Amino acid sequence: MLLAAVLAAAPLPSAAQQGSRRSEQDQARDAVRDGRLAPLSQVLSALSARTPGEHLDTRFSETTDGRPVYIVTWRTPDNQVVIFIVDARTGRILQQRGG
């Protein structure tokens, strides 16, 4: 619940951050098209089969060692917020926080 409160209280991204996020989305889309990354739809399907609930948000990022990841925010039927860190190349869940 604390994580949900923190996420809800987070400030909205600035125009520069929104532009950066758009660039990240474009890069991810190009990588999926080229076959270098797993499609987000495939990742969300696997998460849905594993953890019932609702997809809230996804960010594309990299780990400190340069591995591309999807950071997926998910809400379970009992309103718990779960953050999944998913390897964007393979679709494998690397880490789960919350829930």
Side-chain angles (χ1 to χ4, degrees):
M1 249 359 227
L2 178 59
L3 179 60
V6 169
L7 291 173
L12 294 174
S14 69
Q17 289 171 323
Q18 288 175 350
S20 172
R21 188 168 180 178
R22 173 62 54 204
S23 175
E24 289 172 359
Q25 290 173 347
D26 291 340
Q27 289 173 5
R29 190 175 301 109
D30 291 344
V32 168
R33 199 172 334 178
D34 296 343
R36 293 177 285 136
L37 297 181
L40 182 57
S41 60
Q42 176 184 320
V43 169
L44 295 177
S45 231
L47 288 176
S48 181
R50 178 184 190 273
T51 307
E54 172 185 21
H55 172 234
L56 298 177
D57 187 49
T58 299
R59 286 188 5 224
F60 178 75
S61 190
E62 289 184 348
T63 61
T64 54
D65 63 354
R67 178 190 308 205
V69 292
Y70 293 118
I71 302 170
V72 181
T73 306
W74 197 263
R75 181 175 39 220
T76 64
D78 59 354
N79 285 322
Q80 292 187 42
V81 174
V82 181
I83 307 293
F84 292 101
I85 310 297
V86 180
D87 184 312
R89 289 184 189 135
T90 66
R92 186 174 66 90
I93 297 171
L94 302 174
Q95 189 173 17
Q96 175 182 335
R97 299 176 185 162

